[in-house]
Amino acid sequence: MNMKALLLLILSSALTAPAFATAPNASAPQGGNFVINLGGEPPTVHPITSTDTYASAVQAYVCEGLLTRDSDTYEWKARLAEKWEVSKDNKVFTFHLNKNAVFHDGKPVTAEDVKFSFDAIFNPTYEAAHLRPYYEGLAKVEIVDPHTVKFYAKDSYFKNFESAAGLTIIPKHIYSDVAKSKRMNRELVCSGPYKMMKFDRGQMIQLKKFDKWHSNAAPAYKGTYNFDTITMRFFKDENATLVRAEKGELDYIDLRIESFMKKTTGPAWGKVIIKHKVANDAPKSFGFVGWNQRKELFQDKNVRFALAHLLNRDEMNKKFRYGMSDLANGAVYIRSEYNPGNKVVEYNPKKAQELLTKSGWADADKNGVLEKTVNGKKMEFKFSLIYANKDVEKYWTMYREDLKKAGIDMELKYLEWNSFLKLVDDGNFDAVTMGWGGGSVDPDPKQIWHSSSAIPGGSNFIAYKNPEVDKLIEDARVEPNKAKRVAMLKKVYAKIAEDAPYAFLFNDKYEFYANSSRMGMPAETFKYEVGKDYWWVKP
Amino acid sequence: MLINLAPGSPIEQKLQAIRFGAGAAGGGGGASSVGGRGDTAVNEEVIEALKKQYGFDKPMHVRYVIWLKNISRLDFGESFTYQEPVIDVIKSKLPVSLTFGLFTLFITYMVCIPLGVRKAIKAGEGFDKATTLLLNFTYAIPPLILGIALIYFAGRTNWFPLGGLQSDDYESMSSWGRFLDRAHHMILPLICYTIGGFTELSTLMRNSMLDIIKSDFVRTARAKGLAEKVVVYKHALRNALIPIATGLGGFLGVFLAGSLIIEQMFNLDGMGLLGYQSVLARDYNVIMGITFISAMLMMVGRILSDVIYVLIDPRIDFK
């Protein structure tokens, strides 16, 4: 092999190296300002009483928990706790606090603050009822010494450790005065890598690097949090946001697929601002049509499969999603290790017809609508589909026409979100369409699929009930070994797909975003997130 | 009372935040599952805690009486969303809408009154026809489209700020510098606010003026040999302003309400956006506070109109 061929081989090998297994740049230049758009102004940034995403985005930089996840491996990394132990029965978690950790006002972080942060959630005066479900698996926090705490779990549920590790630690000396701290809706004191400098109503929030952050010199955080300051804007209008990005006023913006495809032309793109389309393993949402199992019409599996076979997802993907989505094959992200590899239900009107005929549906009176005799009573194939997002109406208009050809009469009903949710919570609908977010990398399907969630206000609003699935879910929840849990949940997701309680729609294949050309970054994406915490301002 | 009957309540907003993650409260369609324990619907204990937290444990009519007692002291309660007294939330948003409202009012009247008079004097002539055409065109422009066009224009030319109330370095400016900065930021939004308002008022002024010019006392004034300018501006104008004054008070309430579209587009944090977001979030206390204050302003506006009547035409009194 001559040298040129060898060189080409080396280059091509480098170019085809795996997209992941990337790492922060330990020599990243420090300094500069990072400007992002929150999309709206947080009404309050109080660490306990706030409930919106805008406040969460601020708290992600200013506050922190005991541990955090690595962006590539998803393993736990030290944060406020430098060491931790888990008991064999998975019910006692011991955390050893970093002795260098201080809050932004200079006071040390102690075990007292950890205990306070946990107890506050269950104290009625803090009005933290909205947080309790996340922590109800934990019984108490015990102080061992000023820098050691023990969390006691009520059971062996595998996510209990995650709850404990992710608990936001807030300073007792500031937030224990309830009446006073509740007024702090524009001030936030925590121990995170950035501290809040100012919150100008209607204008922006500015954060500044906290020079006494406990892990500034830690090897695990080299190349992380490289900016001196972070500015957060409150631009609400998408067009205005894009114009600002084109002027270089924003260093990072999320893009919708429509914006990515249609609004990223113009001289600024590729120069002032650079767009990205990235695939990673962060769990993506899936849309669905849920069939209400309380309705006799949808209790027949053949009917549910027939309805799924009449859904022309390939055409929808092509026309409305620029071919950028995967067809979902079940209730878990298609790239997830928990996905059992179910066969995708393809568009097949002929097969749908066979299934319907097998179940006794026919158009005996030739009026264009299938009917069937049940207990001596004629039943026509008619139902309504409720939705709360006008943007998706085009999908359902298409579907309605395809159903009509098969003799099925579907009525479309658009409802305002609160009215929609009322019907969903009461189980008072035929079919419903919306989406579920990707959830956790390590999912727990109980909320959506367990029969105990089939109650008013529960997330199993279609009343799906499968005793085998229930058992597997219950067993998986207390299985500490991840490999075994993966195997159990694969069975769960396989059985759910077999039952077809939803017609699963799409998983997004990509995330879309743009960054200003001032930004340096170690990679377009990490395995589980884009990783803008590792970005820097180019010199 | 009526707002309590709409589906959804602050408690349900909080429950949604728990079930769907914090991002879904005002949205539709997409939702995300909670990352926590993954258990079912929020349990009864949490629901009861939320009800007590917001005072929903009392029946509606008791709540109403409590509310009446509170507003007599200008206490509208606390915003569910902002965790702040309602009066403070409104105070922080009102200046934005008030500023734009008053400037819109001022500009609209200062342009429309002289324009209407001139159109009346030159009724049927080229000037009248041309301005009518122009006004109908501006009347037809939706603020939404104009706003988008102006934002793109500002983005390309750098002549105007893209939104917000002031520049980031506002605090370090001199007084004069601050004034100019604010004025500079207001220009594009004000164009959106005023564009559609000229037509109605100009037409009203023109028609009112025409009626007056044809009346007997104007003919008498001319017969006395008074100069045309004196006839028009001293005698006719004063009378023609009476129907204009009728609407003046109403403007006070309308403009203070702000405009959701313009506020969202230009990133202004005013009453329109507050009202809309409060309705979506079912933040009852803020909704009631805004409604009450708007009603008060409307009444004050009407009284103001009556006072202006007396100033314009001393024959009118309200004994």
Side-chain angles (χ1 to χ4, degrees), chain A residues 15-88:
Chain A
L15 290 171
T16 58
F20 301 130
T22 185
N25 176 5
S27 310
Q30 304 291 294
N33 185 37
F34 183 49
V35 188
I36 58 178
N37 180 34
L38 293 185
E41 178 177 339
T44 175
V45 288
H46 193 285
I48 296 182
T49 62
S50 62
T51 57
D52 58 286
T53 52
Y54 314 128
S56 298
V58 180
Q59 288 157 10
Y61 286 106
V62 178
C63 301
E64 62 186 348
L66 296 166
L67 303 177
T68 193
R69 297 278 199 175
D70 185 272
S71 301
D72 247 19
T73 65
Y74 214 60
E75 296 299 320
W76 289 111
K77 247 162 64 162
R79 192 97 181 185
L80 275 174
E82 57 185 3
K83 287 186 299 176
W84 61 96
E85 291 116 34
V86 180
S87 67
K88 270 185 187 152

Coordinates of all heavy atoms in Angstrom, one line a residue, chain A residues 15-88:
Chain A
L15 N -12.6 10.4 9.6 CA -13.9 11.0 9.2 C -15.1 10.1 9.6 O -16.2 10.6 9.8 CB -13.9 11.3 7.7 CG -13.0 12.4 7.2 CD1 -12.9 12.5 5.7 CD2 -13.4 13.7 7.8
T16 N -14.8 8.8 9.6 CA -16.0 7.9 9.9 C -15.9 7.5 11.4 O -16.6 6.5 11.7 CB -16.0 6.7 9.0 OG1 -14.7 6.0 9.2 CG2 -16.2 7.1 7.6
A17 N -15.1 8.2 12.2 CA -15.1 7.8 13.6 C -16.5 8.0 14.2 O -17.3 8.8 13.7 CB -14.1 8.7 14.3
P18 N -16.8 7.3 15.3 CA -18.1 7.4 15.8 C -18.5 8.8 16.2 O -17.6 9.6 16.6 CB -18.0 6.6 17.1 CG -16.8 5.7 17.0 CD -15.9 6.4 16.0
A19 N -19.7 9.2 16.0 CA -20.2 10.6 16.2 C -20.1 10.9 17.7 O -19.9 12.1 18.1 CB -21.6 10.8 15.8
F20 N -20.2 9.9 18.6 CA -20.2 10.2 20.0 C -18.8 9.8 20.6 O -17.8 9.8 19.9 CB -21.3 9.4 20.7 CG -22.7 9.8 20.1 CD1 -23.6 8.9 19.7 CD2 -23.0 11.2 20.0 CE1 -24.8 9.3 19.2 CE2 -24.2 11.5 19.5 CZ -25.1 10.6 19.1
A21 N -18.8 9.5 21.9 CA -17.5 9.3 22.6 C -16.7 10.6 22.5 O -15.5 10.6 22.3 CB -16.7 8.2 22.1
T22 N -17.4 11.8 22.6 CA -16.8 13.1 22.5 C -16.6 13.5 24.0 O -17.1 12.9 24.9 CB -17.6 14.0 21.7 OG1 -16.9 15.3 21.6 CG2 -18.9 14.3 22.4
A23 N -15.9 14.6 24.2 CA -15.7 15.1 25.6 C -15.6 16.6 25.5 O -15.3 17.2 24.5 CB -14.4 14.4 26.1
P24 N -15.8 17.2 26.7 CA -15.5 18.6 26.8 C -14.1 18.9 26.4 O -13.2 18.1 26.6 CB -15.8 19.0 28.2 CG -16.7 17.9 28.7 CD -16.3 16.6 27.9
N25 N -13.8 20.1 26.0 CA -12.5 20.6 25.6 C -11.9 21.1 26.9 O -12.2 22.2 27.3 CB -12.6 21.6 24.5 CG -11.2 22.2 24.2 OD1 -10.2 21.8 24.7 ND2 -11.2 23.2 23.3
A26 N -10.9 20.4 27.5 CA -10.3 20.8 28.7 C -9.6 22.1 28.6 O -9.3 22.8 29.6 CB -9.4 19.7 29.3
S27 N -9.2 22.5 27.4 CA -8.5 23.7 27.1 C -9.4 24.8 26.6 O -8.9 25.7 25.9 CB -7.3 23.5 26.2 OG -6.5 22.4 26.6
A28 N -10.6 24.7 26.7 CA -11.6 25.6 26.2 C -11.2 27.0 26.7 O -11.0 27.2 27.9 CB -13.0 25.3 26.5
P29 N -11.2 28.0 25.8 CA -11.0 29.4 26.2 C -12.1 29.8 27.2 O -13.3 29.5 27.0 CB -11.1 30.2 24.9 CG -10.9 29.3 23.8 CD -11.4 27.9 24.3
Q30 N -11.7 30.6 28.2 CA -12.7 31.0 29.2 C -13.1 32.4 29.0 O -12.3 33.2 28.4 CB -12.0 30.9 30.6 CG -11.5 29.6 31.0 CD -12.6 28.5 31.2 OE1 -13.4 28.7 32.1 NE2 -12.7 27.6 30.3
G31 N -14.3 32.8 29.4 CA -14.7 34.2 29.3 C -15.8 34.4 28.3 O -16.3 33.5 27.7
G32 N -16.2 35.6 28.2 CA -17.3 36.0 27.3 C -18.7 35.9 27.8 O -18.9 35.4 28.9
N33 N -19.6 36.3 27.0 CA -21.0 36.2 27.4 C -21.8 35.3 26.4 O -21.6 35.3 25.2 CB -21.6 37.7 27.3 CG -23.1 37.7 27.8 OD1 -23.4 37.0 28.7 ND2 -23.9 38.5 27.1
F34 N -22.6 34.5 27.0 CA -23.5 33.6 26.2 C -24.9 34.1 26.3 O -25.4 34.3 27.4 CB -23.4 32.2 26.9 CG -24.1 31.1 26.2 CD1 -23.9 30.8 24.9 CD2 -24.9 30.2 27.0 CE1 -24.6 29.8 24.2 CE2 -25.6 29.1 26.3 CZ -25.4 28.9 25.0
V35 N -25.5 34.3 25.1 CA -26.8 34.9 25.1 C -27.8 33.9 24.6 O -27.7 33.3 23.5 CB -26.9 36.1 24.2 CG1 -28.3 36.8 24.4 CG2 -25.8 37.1 24.6
I36 N -28.8 33.5 25.4 CA -29.9 32.6 25.0 C -31.2 33.2 25.2 O -31.4 34.2 25.9 CB -29.8 31.3 25.8 CG1 -29.9 31.5 27.3 CG2 -28.5 30.5 25.5 CD1 -29.9 30.3 28.1
N37 N -32.2 32.7 24.5 CA -33.6 33.1 24.6 C -34.4 32.1 25.4 O -34.5 31.0 25.0 CB -34.2 33.3 23.2 CG -35.6 33.8 23.3 OD1 -35.9 34.6 24.2 ND2 -36.4 33.4 22.4
L38 N -35.0 32.6 26.5 CA -35.8 31.7 27.3 C -37.2 31.5 26.6 O -37.8 30.4 26.8 CB -36.1 32.2 28.7 CG -34.9 32.3 29.7 CD1 -35.4 32.8 31.0 CD2 -34.2 31.0 29.8
G39 N -37.6 32.4 25.8 CA -38.9 32.3 25.2 C -40.0 33.0 25.9 O -41.1 33.1 25.5
G40 N -39.7 33.4 27.1 CA -40.7 34.0 28.0 C -40.1 34.4 29.3 O -39.0 33.9 29.6
E41 N -40.8 35.2 30.0 CA -40.2 35.6 31.3 C -40.7 34.8 32.5 O -41.9 34.6 32.6 CB -40.6 37.1 31.5 CG -40.1 37.7 32.8 CD -40.5 39.1 33.0 OE1 -40.7 39.8 32.0 OE2 -40.5 39.6 34.1
P42 N -39.8 34.3 33.3 CA -40.4 33.5 34.4 C -41.1 34.4 35.4 O -40.6 35.5 35.8 CB -39.1 32.9 35.1 CG -38.0 33.7 34.5 CD -38.4 34.3 33.3
P43 N -42.3 34.1 35.8 CA -43.0 34.9 36.8 C -42.3 35.0 38.1 O -42.3 36.0 38.8 CB -44.4 34.2 36.9 CG -44.5 33.4 35.7 CD -43.2 33.0 35.3
T44 N -41.7 33.9 38.5 CA -40.9 33.8 39.7 C -39.8 32.9 39.5 O -39.9 31.9 38.7 CB -41.7 33.4 40.9 OG1 -40.8 33.3 42.0 CG2 -42.4 32.1 40.7
V45 N -38.6 33.1 40.1 CA -37.5 32.2 40.0 C -37.3 31.4 41.4 O -36.3 30.8 41.6 CB -36.2 32.8 39.6 CG1 -36.2 33.2 38.2 CG2 -35.9 34.0 40.5
H46 N -38.3 31.6 42.2 CA -38.2 30.9 43.6 C -38.0 29.4 43.3 O -38.7 28.8 42.6 CB -39.5 31.1 44.3 CG -39.3 30.8 45.8 ND1 -39.3 29.5 46.2 CD2 -39.2 31.5 46.9 CE1 -39.2 29.5 47.5 NE2 -39.1 30.7 48.0
P47 N -37.0 28.8 44.0 CA -36.6 27.4 43.7 C -37.7 26.4 44.1 O -37.6 25.3 43.6 CB -35.3 27.2 44.5 CG -35.3 28.2 45.6 CD -36.1 29.4 45.0
I48 N -38.6 26.8 45.0 CA -39.6 25.8 45.4 C -40.9 26.1 44.7 O -41.6 25.2 44.2 CB -39.8 25.8 46.9 CG1 -38.5 25.3 47.6 CG2 -41.0 24.9 47.3 CD1 -38.6 25.2 49.1
T49 N -41.3 27.4 44.7 CA -42.7 27.7 44.2 C -42.8 27.8 42.7 O -43.9 27.8 42.2 CB -43.2 29.0 44.9 OG1 -42.4 30.1 44.4 CG2 -43.2 28.9 46.4
S50 N -41.7 28.0 41.9 CA -41.9 28.1 40.5 C -42.2 26.8 39.8 O -41.8 25.7 40.3 CB -40.6 28.6 39.9 OG -39.5 27.7 40.1
T51 N -43.0 26.9 38.7 CA -43.4 25.7 38.1 C -43.2 25.7 36.6 O -43.6 24.8 35.9 CB -45.0 25.4 38.3 OG1 -45.7 26.6 37.8 CG2 -45.3 25.2 39.7
D52 N -42.7 26.8 36.0 CA -42.6 26.9 34.6 C -41.2 26.6 34.1 O -40.2 26.6 34.8 CB -43.0 28.3 34.1 CG -42.2 29.4 34.8 OD1 -42.3 29.6 36.0 OD2 -41.3 29.9 34.1
T53 N -41.1 26.3 32.7 CA -39.9 26.0 32.1 C -38.8 27.1 32.1 O -37.6 26.9 32.1 CB -40.0 25.5 30.6 OG1 -40.8 26.6 30.0 CG2 -40.8 24.2 30.6
Y54 N -39.3 28.4 32.1 CA -38.4 29.5 32.1 C -37.6 29.5 33.4 O -36.4 29.7 33.3 CB -39.1 30.8 31.9 CG -40.2 30.8 30.8 CD1 -41.5 31.2 31.0 CD2 -39.9 30.3 29.5 CE1 -42.5 31.1 30.0 CE2 -40.8 30.2 28.5 CZ -42.1 30.7 28.8 OH -43.1 30.6 27.8
A55 N -38.3 29.3 34.5 CA -37.6 29.3 35.8 C -36.6 28.1 35.8 O -35.5 28.3 36.4 CB -38.6 29.3 36.9
S56 N -37.1 27.0 35.3 CA -36.2 25.8 35.3 C -34.9 26.1 34.6 O -33.8 25.6 35.0 CB -36.9 24.6 34.7 OG -38.1 24.3 35.4
A57 N -35.0 26.8 33.5 CA -33.8 27.0 32.7 C -32.8 27.9 33.5 O -31.6 27.7 33.4 CB -34.2 27.7 31.4
V58 N -33.3 28.8 34.2 CA -32.5 29.7 35.1 C -31.8 28.8 36.2 O -30.6 28.9 36.4 CB -33.3 30.9 35.7 CG1 -32.4 31.7 36.5 CG2 -33.9 31.7 34.6
Q59 N -32.7 28.1 36.8 CA -32.2 27.3 38.0 C -31.2 26.2 37.6 O -30.4 25.8 38.4 CB -33.4 26.6 38.7 CG -34.3 27.6 39.4 CD -35.7 27.2 39.6 OE1 -36.1 26.0 39.4 NE2 -36.6 28.1 40.1
A60 N -31.3 25.8 36.3 CA -30.3 24.8 35.9 C -28.9 25.3 36.0 O -27.9 24.5 36.1 CB -30.6 24.4 34.4
Y61 N -28.7 26.6 35.9 CA -27.3 27.2 36.0 C -27.0 27.7 37.4 O -25.9 27.6 37.8 CB -27.2 28.4 35.0 CG -27.1 28.0 33.6 CD1 -28.1 28.2 32.7 CD2 -25.9 27.5 33.1 CE1 -28.0 27.9 31.4 CE2 -25.8 27.1 31.7 CZ -26.8 27.3 30.9 OH -26.7 27.0 29.6
V62 N -28.0 28.1 38.1 CA -27.8 28.8 39.4 C -27.9 27.8 40.5 O -27.2 27.9 41.5 CB -28.9 29.9 39.5 CG1 -28.7 30.6 40.9 CG2 -28.7 30.9 38.4
C63 N -28.7 26.8 40.4 CA -28.9 25.8 41.4 C -28.3 24.5 41.0 O -27.9 24.3 39.9 CB -30.4 25.6 41.7 SG -31.2 27.1 42.2
E64 N -28.2 23.5 41.9 CA -27.7 22.2 41.6 C -28.2 21.2 42.6 O -28.6 21.6 43.7 CB -26.2 22.2 41.5 CG -25.5 22.6 42.8 CD -24.0 22.8 42.7 OE1 -23.5 22.4 41.6 OE2 -23.4 23.3 43.6
G65 N -28.0 19.9 42.3 CA -28.3 18.9 43.2 C -27.1 18.2 43.7 O -26.0 18.8 43.5
L66 N -27.2 17.0 44.3 CA -26.1 16.4 44.8 C -25.2 15.7 43.8 O -23.9 15.7 43.9 CB -26.5 15.3 45.8 CG -27.3 15.9 47.0 CD1 -28.1 14.8 47.8 CD2 -26.3 16.6 47.9
L67 N -25.8 15.2 42.7 CA -25.1 14.6 41.6 C -25.7 15.1 40.3 O -26.7 15.7 40.2 CB -25.2 13.1 41.7 CG -24.7 12.4 42.9 CD1 -25.0 10.9 42.8 CD2 -23.3 12.6 43.2
T68 N -25.0 14.8 39.2 CA -25.5 15.1 37.9 C -25.1 14.0 36.9 O -24.3 13.1 37.3 CB -25.0 16.5 37.4 OG1 -25.7 16.9 36.3 CG2 -23.5 16.4 37.0
R69 N -25.7 14.0 35.8 CA -25.5 12.9 34.8 C -24.4 13.3 33.8 O -24.4 14.5 33.3 CB -26.8 12.6 34.0 CG -27.9 12.0 34.9 CD -27.7 10.6 35.1 NE -29.0 9.9 35.5 CZ -29.1 8.6 35.7 NH1 -28.1 7.8 35.6 NH2 -30.3 8.1 36.1
D70 N -23.6 12.4 33.4 CA -22.7 12.7 32.3 C -23.4 12.8 31.0 O -24.2 11.9 30.7 CB -21.6 11.6 32.3 CG -20.5 11.9 31.2 OD1 -20.7 11.5 30.1 OD2 -19.5 12.5 31.6
S71 N -23.1 13.7 30.1 CA -23.8 13.9 28.9 C -23.6 12.8 27.9 O -24.4 12.6 26.9 CB -23.4 15.2 28.2 OG -23.6 16.3 29.1
D72 N -22.5 12.0 28.0 CA -22.3 11.0 27.0 C -22.5 9.6 27.6 O -23.0 8.7 26.9 CB -20.8 11.1 26.6 CG -20.7 11.4 25.1 OD1 -21.7 12.0 24.6 OD2 -19.6 11.2 24.5
T73 N -22.2 9.4 28.8 CA -22.4 8.0 29.4 C -23.6 7.9 30.2 O -24.0 6.7 30.5 CB -21.2 7.7 30.3 OG1 -21.2 8.6 31.4 CG2 -19.8 7.9 29.6
Y74 N -24.2 9.0 30.6 CA -25.3 9.0 31.5 C -25.0 8.5 32.9 O -25.9 8.2 33.7 CB -26.5 8.2 30.9 CG -27.9 8.8 31.3 CD1 -28.1 10.2 30.9 CD2 -28.8 8.2 32.0 CE1 -29.3 10.8 31.2 CE2 -30.0 8.7 32.3 CZ -30.3 10.0 32.0 OH -31.5 10.6 32.3
E75 N -23.7 8.3 33.2 CA -23.3 7.9 34.6 C -23.4 9.1 35.5 O -23.4 10.2 35.1 CB -21.9 7.3 34.6 CG -21.7 6.1 33.7 CD -22.5 4.9 34.2 OE1 -22.6 4.7 35.5 OE2 -23.1 4.2 33.4
W76 N -23.5 8.8 36.8 CA -23.6 9.8 37.8 C -22.2 10.5 38.0 O -21.2 9.8 37.9 CB -24.1 9.3 39.1 CG -25.5 9.0 39.2 CD1 -26.0 7.7 39.2 CD2 -26.6 9.9 39.1 NE1 -27.4 7.8 39.2 CE2 -27.8 9.1 39.1 CE3 -26.7 11.3 38.9 CZ2 -29.1 9.7 39.0 CZ3 -28.0 11.8 38.9 CH2 -29.2 11.0 38.9
K77 N -22.2 11.8 38.1 CA -21.0 12.5 38.3 C -21.1 13.3 39.6 O -22.2 13.8 40.0 CB -20.8 13.6 37.2 CG -19.7 13.3 36.3 CD -19.8 14.1 35.0 CE -19.8 15.6 35.1 NZ -19.5 16.2 33.7
A78 N -20.0 13.5 40.4 CA -20.1 14.2 41.6 C -20.5 15.7 41.3 O -20.2 16.2 40.3 CB -18.7 14.2 42.3
R79 N -21.3 16.2 42.3 CA -21.6 17.6 42.2 C -21.5 18.2 43.6 O -20.4 18.3 44.0 CB -23.1 17.7 41.7 CG -23.5 19.1 41.2 CD -23.3 19.3 39.7 NE -23.7 20.7 39.5 CZ -23.8 21.2 38.2 NH1 -23.6 20.4 37.2 NH2 -24.2 22.4 38.1
L80 N -22.6 18.4 44.3 CA -22.4 18.9 45.7 C -21.9 17.7 46.5 O -21.2 18.0 47.5 CB -23.7 19.4 46.2 CG -24.1 20.8 45.9 CD1 -25.5 21.1 46.4 CD2 -23.1 21.7 46.6
A81 N -22.2 16.5 46.1 CA -21.7 15.4 46.8 C -20.5 14.9 46.1 O -20.5 14.7 44.9 CB -22.7 14.3 46.9
E82 N -19.4 14.7 46.8 CA -18.2 14.2 46.1 C -18.1 12.7 46.1 O -17.4 12.0 45.3 CB -16.9 14.8 46.7 CG -16.8 14.5 48.2 CD -15.6 15.2 48.8 OE1 -14.9 16.0 48.1 OE2 -15.3 15.0 50.0
K83 N -18.8 12.0 47.1 CA -18.8 10.6 47.1 C -20.2 10.1 47.5 O -21.0 10.9 48.2 CB -17.9 10.0 48.2 CG -16.4 10.1 47.8 CD -15.5 9.5 48.9 CE -15.7 10.1 50.2 NZ -14.9 9.5 51.3
W84 N -20.6 8.9 47.2 CA -21.9 8.4 47.6 C -21.9 6.9 47.7 O -21.1 6.2 47.0 CB -23.0 8.9 46.6 CG -22.8 8.4 45.2 CD1 -23.4 7.4 44.6 CD2 -22.0 9.0 44.2 NE1 -23.0 7.3 43.3 CE2 -22.1 8.3 43.0 CE3 -21.1 10.2 44.2 CZ2 -21.5 8.6 41.8 CZ3 -20.5 10.5 43.0 CH2 -20.6 9.7 41.9
E85 N -22.8 6.3 48.5 CA -23.0 4.9 48.6 C -24.4 4.5 48.6 O -25.3 5.3 49.1 CB -22.4 4.4 50.0 CG -20.9 4.5 50.0 CD -20.4 5.5 51.1 OE1 -21.1 5.6 52.2 OE2 -19.4 6.2 50.9
V86 N -24.7 3.4 48.0 CA -26.0 2.8 48.0 C -26.1 1.5 48.7 O -25.2 0.7 48.4 CB -26.5 2.7 46.5 CG1 -27.9 2.1 46.4 CG2 -26.4 4.0 45.7
S87 N -27.0 1.3 49.6 CA -27.1 0.0 50.3 C -27.5 -1.1 49.3 O -28.1 -0.9 48.3 CB -28.2 0.2 51.4 OG -29.5 0.3 50.8
K88 N -27.3 -2.3 49.8 CA -27.5 -3.5 48.9 C -29.0 -3.6 48.6 O -29.4 -4.0 47.5 CB -27.0 -4.7 49.6 CG -25.6 -5.1 49.2 CD -25.2 -6.4 49.8 CE -23.7 -6.6 49.6 NZ -23.1 -7.5 50.6

